[in-house]
Amino acid sequence: MQLATWNVNSLAVRLPQLLDWLAAHPVDALVLQETKLTDDKFPRAEIEAAGYRVVFHGQKTYNGVALLSRSEATDVVRNIPGLADEQARVIAGTVDGVRVVGGYFPNGQAPDSEKFVYKMGWLQALQDWLRSELARHTQLVLMGDFNIAPEDRDVYDPVAWAGQIHCTDQERAHFRALLDLGLVDAFRLFEQPPKSWSWWDYRNLAFRKNQGLRIDHILVSQALQPRVSACEIDKAPRKNERPSDHAPVIVTLV
DNA sequence: ATGTCGGACAGGGTCCGA
């Protein structure tokens, strides 16, 4: 079984690439972020024609998430229960016995901004909700664009980025709090190439220079960890002529 | 490199967000 996450930065633009990618990587479930589509504009027919069921939660211009799966997702949840949030950032469902939670975590803009305050509150609400989700679903995967680089080795220039957004102590503490719930960073279960990133700024020839961050993650519950046999970032779509700024991350379960 | 994308609004160029 394979699960994946990909911030597509506009599904309207990236749909052909998504369909190509699914043809090459017929994963069992995939969560998308930054679809940037209201639900009435979601390309359901095209995705179903590719052999996937799909549930989604979108809004105009910003954010927007989706869960694609070969088997039907059940017990679907949109956004964090109990959190009043106008931003479409979470979709969850149970696929083949695995609770799949897809998230587009807030960017946070800058550590002294109002958006950072929102990010902190959102992260706390996510943590509180996941604690109860884990109590109900021992087999759980949390994946998406976390907008957090958990450690310095996840940053191409940790000195320049020290204390900057994605790298603050507060964000990293929230990431560790998620691990403390009983989740494991699947990517770090395996030896990985040094300088492995999942996002490269569109500017400054960042991809060509491999100047990026690892901010897209797949966390698995402890019950699921023994099933994890591989986890990798697929850089290939980032080489497209008109790419998303993020690359997909894939986890393989036996 | 305040360096590029994508969407909205508007029907071009400018703004916001990332």
Side-chain angles (χ1 to χ4, degrees):
Chain A
M1 182 181 193
Q2 286 194 309
L3 310 170
T5 176
W6 192 9
N7 180 326
V8 292
N9 187 18
S10 170
L11 185 54
V13 172
R14 233 64 68 187
L15 179 61
Q17 287 179 49
L18 171 66
L19 297 175
D20 287 348
W21 191 83
L22 286 172
H25 304 273
V27 294
D28 297 278
L30 169 67
V31 290
L32 303 178
Q33 302 88 40
E34 287 205 84
T35 55
K36 297 185 178 178
L37 290 170
T38 49
D39 291 349
D40 59 302
K41 295 204 168 72
F42 194 91
R44 173 195 286 279
E46 291 87 340
I47 287 169
E48 288 180 345
Y52 284 88
R53 316 284 189 100
V54 63
V55 290
F56 40 87
H57 179 42
Q59 66 182 94
K60 197 160 119 178
T61 313
Y62 306 118
N63 311 314
V65 287
L67 167 59
L68 286 62
S69 52
R70 291 274 181 201
S71 309
E72 185 172 17
T74 58
D75 300 313
V76 173
V77 169
R78 291 167 176 81
N79 271 3
I80 300 169
L83 178 69
D85 192 357
E86 292 178 3
Q87 305 187 24
R89 295 189 172 277
V90 169
I91 191 145
T94 303
V95 179
D96 298 331
V98 177
R99 189 65 172 163
V100 176
V101 180
Y104 175 48
F105 292 34
N107 175 289
Q109 194 173 53
D112 60 353
S113 68
E114 274 304 310
K115 287 173 184 169
F116 190 83
V117 176
Y118 166 75
K119 183 175 194 171
M120 293 296 110
W122 190 94
L123 284 164
Q124 186 61 53
L126 178 72
Q127 182 188 319
D128 294 343
W129 173 56
L130 278 175
R131 188 174 290 112
S132 63
E133 281 293 283
L134 280 160
R136 269 185 294 190
H137 308 277
T138 56
Q139 302 201 85
L140 183 146
V141 174
L142 169 66
M143 55 185 176
D145 176 358
F146 283 50
N147 273 314
I148 300 172
E151 300 177 38
D152 279 354
R153 62 176 165 165
D154 301 310
V155 181
Y156 74 94
D157 186 347
V159 174
W161 280 79
Q164 301 297 308
I165 196 66
H166 309 310
C167 302
T168 64
D169 291 342
Q170 298 103 298
E171 291 165 283
R172 287 176 170 181
H174 270 292
F175 187 89
R176 286 194 300 273
L178 291 170
L179 301 182
D180 289 343
L181 294 177
L183 294 169
V184 178
D185 185 347
F187 190 74
R188 293 300 181 200
L189 291 173
F190 304 94
E191 197 164 328
Q192 299 289 356
K195 303 185 191 305
S196 285
W197 324 125
S198 68
W199 170 85
W200 301 258
D201 200 302
Y202 280 126
R203 297 169 287 189
N204 311 331
L205 306 172
F207 184 69
R208 203 189 300 182
K209 295 189 281 193
N210 197 30
Q211 297 179 340
L213 307 177
R214 190 176 72 97
I215 55 177
D216 300 85
H217 306 294
I218 300 179
L219 307 189
V220 301
S221 61
Q222 284 168 359
L224 218 43
Q225 180 178 341
R227 290 179 59 191
V228 179
S229 64
C231 183
E232 49 197 30
I233 296 167
D234 180 13
K235 284 174 74 169
R238 190 62 176 79
K239 298 170 185 166
N240 192 284
E241 197 174 315
R242 198 180 177 188
S244 167
D245 42 355
H246 294 255
V249 188
I250 311 173
V251 68
T252 307
L253 308 177
V254 295

